[in-house]
Amino acid sequence: MNILIADDHANVRRGLREILVDAFSGARFSEASNGDEVLTQLVNSQHDVLLLDINMPGRSGMDVLKDVKRIYPLLPVIMVSVQPESQYAARCLLAGASAYVNKNSASDELAPAINKIFNSSVAFALDPAGS
């Protein structure tokens, strides 16, 4: 599995990678720190899933999501954010995201979200507060 992690904070990218290394042994990871890097990475190599932060410098994750879904409509995208589900999840899912995971719950919910995406075609959102 090839996973692209897009977040403007190196520590967050590293943390997300560490969460997923144990759950997906043999997975390969690429990183991007902004929207332009996401699109470059997608052009230069094949990825099975994109983890995309909503708040990045330059183009927002929502803008990048729209481009990604237009160019790569079958690529599963998991939006990640510190913002509560109630603020962004529905908008992300309507824009084509496969899931929405709050960063505060990523250690418990990110790997199951990826598994669910590959085992189901239903979009969903995860929130630590359960709201």
Side-chain angles (χ1 to χ4, degrees):
M1 179 180 298
N2 294 320
I3 301 170
L4 175 55
I5 302 172
D7 194 291
D8 57 320
H9 296 98
N11 288 336
V12 172
R13 292 192 308 269
R14 186 173 27 254
L16 293 174
R17 177 190 296 238
E18 287 179 16
I19 290 167
L20 297 174
V21 161
D22 292 334
F24 301 101
S25 62
R28 293 185 302 181
F29 297 91
S30 303
E31 296 184 8
S33 62
N34 60 54
D36 292 335
E37 288 181 13
V38 169
L39 296 174
T40 298
Q41 288 276 356
L42 291 175
V43 166
N44 291 330
S45 60
Q46 183 178 351
H47 292 86
D48 299 303
V49 65
L50 166 61
L51 308 182
L52 181 60
D53 184 22
I54 287 179
N55 297 315
M56 291 192 297
R59 300 177 61 222
S60 75
M62 290 299 294
D63 289 337
V64 175
L65 174 63
K66 289 175 188 172
D67 285 346
V68 168
K69 295 313 290 184
R70 181 177 46 80
I71 301 167
Y72 307 98
L74 300 179
L75 178 67
V77 179
I78 298 176
M79 299 302 288
V80 293
S81 178
V82 294
Q83 302 301 322
E85 173 187 338
S86 61
Q87 291 183 8
Y88 284 101
R91 287 189 353 202
C92 292
L93 297 174
L94 288 172
S98 299
Y100 182 94
V101 175
N102 188 290
K103 289 179 184 177
N104 294 323
S105 64
S107 61
D108 295 326
E109 297 179 347
L110 188 55
I114 292 172
N115 283 324
K116 188 169 185 176
I117 286 168
F118 286 104
N119 293 320
S120 170
S121 62
V122 177
F124 62 98
L126 297 172
D127 178 69
S131 54

